[in-house]
Amino acid sequence: ARRKGEGVSVRAFKRAIFLYLLQAAQSMVLSGNINDIYTCETLMIAGHAQVLLGMFHRFQAPLLTVLGAIILGTTGAVRFAFMDSGEYWIINDAGDNVNFEDDLELEEIFNFNVSFDPVTVGLELEDIFHFHAVDGLFPLFPYAAYPILGLAIGKLIYGPLDQAESRSRCLKVLTISGSILLASGVALLMADMVVPSI
């Protein structure tokens, strides 16, 4: 429940803690461990999104847009430079680290033979930050950009305008952002045909 006088940042951080604990509980119930916290599963990145919203909710839309664009624009280079998934993911049957330079059989992936075990890998605190930044299932590069850009769009739509102006601006924002996303998707698809995936 929202307490009187409680700021946006405090509420966002409370939601983040709730999501982190919920992820841990879900992981314990479904798999008997808390590995999903390490691998940055869906509830973890949702918690990170709340933290980001708490940090940046006072920023203006143009600055948020630039920040989101920087994250998206540098994701490829950052992940290429720092991604090292082969050090963290293992093949269950063999217990060996995955060599992502080799093609994994689709049957292995769909049978969940490729998994993550922090005990086998010998994970340290530095590795956890690395995992959440670039190597996890939903890493901050690029997923941190989406709540930031969503906040920017929200500020543009729900600015200090009357109802007619708000509807008009909403349509413009959705049209522009949709066109940008469509163009980005086409560009990424074309780039994937030329540049080998990581």
Side-chain angles (χ1 to χ4, degrees), residues 142-155:
Y143 287 94
Y146 304 132
I148 293 173
L149 292 174
L151 183 59
I153 293 173
K155 285 178 175 289

Side-chain angles (χ1 to χ4, degrees), residues 128-148:
I128 296 174
F129 286 119
H130 191 275
F131 224 107
H132 281 247
V134 294
D135 268 308
L137 296 176
F138 297 95
L140 291 170
F141 286 88
Y143 287 94
Y146 304 132
I148 293 173

Side-chain angles (χ1 to χ4, degrees), residues 56-157:
F56 298 124
H57 73 277
R58 295 185 183 277
F59 286 29
Q60 296 301 312
L63 183 56
L64 291 168
T65 303
V66 171
L67 181 58
I70 290 174
I71 294 174
L72 288 177
T74 59
T75 289
V78 170
R79 298 193 72 185
F80 182 80
F82 297 105
M83 191 173 181
D84 194 15
S85 295
E87 292 294 322
Y88 302 110
W89 295 88
I90 63 171
I91 300 177
N92 288 343
D93 295 338
D96 298 325
N97 286 4
V98 176
N99 183 1
F100 279 88
E101 293 180 358
D102 298 334
D103 291 331
L104 293 174
E105 295 291 336
L106 286 179
E107 183 180 355
E108 287 185 332
I109 297 174
F110 290 129
N111 287 337
F112 300 101
N113 283 338
V114 177
S115 65
F116 170 79
D117 183 357
V119 176
T120 302
V121 173
L123 206 63
E124 298 179 355
L125 185 60
E126 179 183 354
D127 299 311
I128 296 174
F129 286 119
H130 191 275
F131 224 107
H132 281 247
V134 294
D135 268 308
L137 296 176
F138 297 95
L140 291 170
F141 286 88
Y143 287 94
Y146 304 132
I148 293 173
L149 292 174
L151 183 59
I153 293 173
K155 285 178 175 289
L156 290 174
I157 293 175

Side-chain angles (χ1 to χ4, degrees), residues 159-171:
L161 305 169
D162 60 37
Q163 190 172 11
E165 288 177 320
S166 182
R167 287 179 179 176
S168 175
R169 176 174 285 189
C170 177
L171 181 60

